[in-house]
Structures are given as structure tokens and as C-alpha cells.
Amino acid sequence: MARPTMEDVAAKAGVSRALVSLVMRNAPNVSDERRTRVLCAAHDLGYEPHAMARSLASRTSTVLGVMVSDLRNAFFADVVEGLDAAAEAAGFHLILNTGGRSPSRERAALKNLLSFRPAGVILLSPVLQAPAIEDAVAQCPVVLVSRTSRVRDVDTVNDDGEAGSTLAVEHLVSLGHRRIAHLDGGVAAGAAARRRGYQRAMRRHLLHPIIVHSEHTDTAGEKAVHELLGDHPRGGLPTALVAGNDFNAVGAISALEEAGLRVPEDVSVVGYDNTSLAALRHISLTTVDQPRTEMGRLAVEALIERVRGERTEPVRHLLHPSLVVRSTTATLGERVRE
């Protein structure tokens, strides 16, 4: 069945299409009698105003575009919850797509979002190069989440990745661990800060950093552990891992268990993000918590400030992470009771 149109509502109410348009925009210069007639006709037909068409007609937009780097990562779902709640409260709507952690796909995804003429765009952990972001800024306000930027007119919302990795290392050192490896997130947004925090914390304790190239995926976590197992004899294997994120940590745990190693009795593992995956009872992952819904709220607020012309100077939100201790870390050499 075809979706009812504004013309259908006008015909049923016995008024012009222009009058229906005025009613749908909540314009004040419409009599109560005719407004009621139009709204009743719209209700009977099941008509709902098309947000995009309304935006184009009025030269304003209530649409915010959101590009998600990786739909499989639960971190982004939590951030989007914060985005959605804040957008709805402000009278805006979200349209989402994904770039699949590929610069070329992200460029295409961003171009697609911009074709909808949104009021602004939020990019979650993009791997886009700066020129592509600058091009987008020329068309509408842009906010980056979980990525820093030197582009002057871009707002950013990040957690303090250096502080987060430091929390992980300090926790493991307090448990007696000395051979602590970091599964690096490579070029992923936020990976460099987490790497720096790990290195500085290790050196502060006069410990040798062990960095294994990886990515923010479960398969990369498995691969990194296989590399560690190949490079280190059983007795020289790191006793603890600081993973790039929760997804990476779960892959690492899977590979460790497949190799006959127990977590945390043989190897302790710390993730990053504190996603819903980490809290699952059979995983119970010790992890660094990012205030994900808060990050989403701040991103929408920053974007709407730009859209409404309330601010021209960039904002750089840097939120403080915290450590959530669960079951994947234990004192070195401690046999955890079942």
C-alpha cells in the first residue's frame, strides 16, 4: 500500500496542499477549525510528515547525520544511544550509516550523509584523512567522537586514552605482574593515546614494554596471541595483556584458551571500553570504562550549538575513564577458585 501524501490529506480535508503544509509546520496563521480538519484527515490516513522533505522546503534541517566506524563493535551502540536521546530531546532526528573502518568506504559514506543536507554530522572513530573532514566542514558543522583533530572548526569528544591505559597497567602491576604486553590498536582512532599511556606506565615501573601489532577486532586479538605464543617460550610468555579494546580482548581470551592457557590463572587480560560484551557473565572482562552515553550527549550538544550559531570556537571535550575490575585479572600465580 502506498504511503499517504500531503496531497491525499488535502483532498480528504477539502483544503489546499499549501494549507496542509502550514499545519504540518505548526504555522500560527491557520484557524483552529481548519487545523483540526487537516489533523483529523492526516490521522485517518495514517499520514506522517517526511522529515527530509520538510527540511528541504523550509531551508532548515532537523536531521543529524551519524557515521559509525564499525557496526559490530558494541561501543558504538552505546554512544548512539546517547546521541539519540540527546537529539530527540532537542527536536532533532538521526540518520546513520557505516564506513566499515575503511578510508575509501568512509569517504563514500560521508558523501552519502551529506547528500541528505543534514544540519550537522557526527563521525564516530573515523579513519578518514583530515582533508575529507575539512571538506565536510565546508558544508555543515562536524563533531568527531573518539578521535582528535587539528581541524580548527571541528569539535571533538574523547576519553583520556593515556589515563585509561595507565589505569590498566597500574592495576596489573598491583597484582604482581611484570611481563605485561599491549595489543596495539594500530591506526584505529584512540589507539595512539592508549599506546602512549601503556608505554609511560611501564617505564615508570622500570618495566620493558611489549607491544604486539593488532587492531580493534576479535580476529586481530586472536592473531596477536598466536604471535605472542610463537615468539615466547611458555615460561617467557607475558603474564598479562592490555588489549586495545573489549572486542580485541575477547579474541585474545579465545586464543589463549584454545592454546590451553587459563584466564586469569595463567594470563590476566584487561580490555577497553566497558561495552555490554564485557559485562556478560561468561566473559566478565576487567576493562577500562568510557562514559559512552555521556560522549554521545556531549557530541549532540556541541553540534546543535554550532547549528544554532551559539558558538564559533571549537570545543575539545576530554572525559576521564575509570577501571572496572571483573574476573579476567588476578594476582600473579594465584589459582582462582571455581
Side-chain angles (χ1 to χ4, degrees):
M1 183 177 179
R3 175 175 176 163
T5 66
M6 200 174 289
E7 286 78 5
D8 296 329
V9 175
K12 185 172 180 63
V15 298
S16 67
R17 184 190 183 284
L19 180 64
V20 174
S21 178
L22 289 173
V23 172
M24 294 305 160
R25 296 202 309 269
N26 200 29
N29 53 332
V30 179
S31 69
D32 290 342
E33 184 272 330
R34 291 199 294 174
R35 186 184 303 276
T36 300
R37 201 166 14 147
V38 169
L39 292 176
C40 287
H43 179 270
D44 291 344
L45 292 171
Y47 171 80
E48 293 182 2
H50 193 289
M52 185 59 60
R54 187 172 57 212
S55 296
L56 292 174
S58 64
R59 302 290 183 180
T60 62
S61 176
T62 58
V63 171
L64 304 180
V66 179
M67 187 182 72
V68 180
S69 175
D70 185 358
L71 285 177
R72 297 196 306 157
N73 191 335
F75 165 77
F76 297 112
D78 294 337
V79 175
V80 169
E81 279 194 8
L83 295 174
D84 188 52
E88 182 179 8
F92 285 77
H93 311 278
L94 303 183
I95 53 173
L96 284 79
N97 66 6
T98 181
R101 296 182 297 107
S102 161
S104 61
R105 285 189 59 191
E106 285 194 358
R107 283 195 300 273
L110 179 55
K111 182 178 179 181
N112 180 263
L113 282 179
L114 293 171
S115 72
F116 286 91
R117 302 185 192 178
V121 169
I122 298 171
L123 307 178
L124 304 187
S125 294
V127 295
L128 281 167
Q129 294 182 337
I133 296 173
E134 290 175 340
D135 289 344
V137 173
Q139 300 181 57
C140 67
V142 174
V143 176
L144 302 182
V145 177
S146 290
R147 173 169 165 175
T148 59
S149 175
R150 295 181 181 177
V151 179
R152 188 185 182 284
D153 292 326
V154 170
D155 300 321
T156 60
V157 181
N158 291 285
D159 89 310
D160 190 337
E162 290 191 36
S165 288
T166 298
L167 289 173
V169 172
E170 294 292 342
H171 170 64
L172 293 168
V173 169
S174 74
L175 296 175
H177 295 276
R178 295 296 179 268
R179 295 196 306 276
I180 304 169
H182 176 49
L183 307 190
D184 181 34
V187 298
R194 297 174 193 181
R195 180 170 58 249
R196 286 194 302 270
Y198 161 80
Q199 290 173 315
R200 290 174 180 174
M202 291 289 284
R203 289 168 180 153
R204 187 162 51 249
H205 289 283
L206 303 180
L207 301 175
H208 176 65
I210 305 169
I211 297 179
V212 185
H213 175 71
S214 191
E215 296 177 357
H216 287 171
T217 66
D218 53 343
T219 53
E222 293 178 359
K223 183 178 178 181
V225 166
H226 292 151
E227 182 178 331
L228 277 172
L229 293 171
D231 290 345
H232 298 270
R234 188 68 172 251
L237 189 71
T239 63
L241 305 178
V242 177
N245 69 354
D246 290 349
F247 219 18
N248 183 263
V250 169
I253 291 170
S254 177
L256 288 168
E257 292 178 344
E258 285 179 5
L261 294 166
R262 301 163 301 169
V263 176
E265 295 94 332
D266 298 316
V267 182
S268 287
V269 178
V270 180
Y272 205 111
D273 289 340
N274 192 29
T275 59
S276 56
L277 180 68
L280 291 174
R281 188 172 181 179
H282 69 285
I283 296 177
S284 190
L285 177 68
T286 295
T287 184
V288 177
D289 178 70
Q290 293 193 70
R292 301 166 304 285
T293 55
E294 175 74 358
M295 294 170 78
R297 181 184 67 80
L298 288 172
V300 167
E301 289 181 355
L303 193 60
I304 292 175
E305 287 173 357
R306 291 275 196 178
V307 169
R308 292 175 175 169
E310 297 171 357
R311 173 178 50 80
T312 56
E313 292 300 310
V315 294
R316 303 279 188 255
H317 291 294
L318 188 65
L319 282 68
H320 297 291
S322 59
L323 186 71
V324 179
V325 179
R326 296 194 180 97
S327 303
T328 58
T329 53
T331 302
L332 181 63
E334 178 184 29
R335 186 176 182 86
V336 178
R337 294 180 181 179
E338 295 183 359

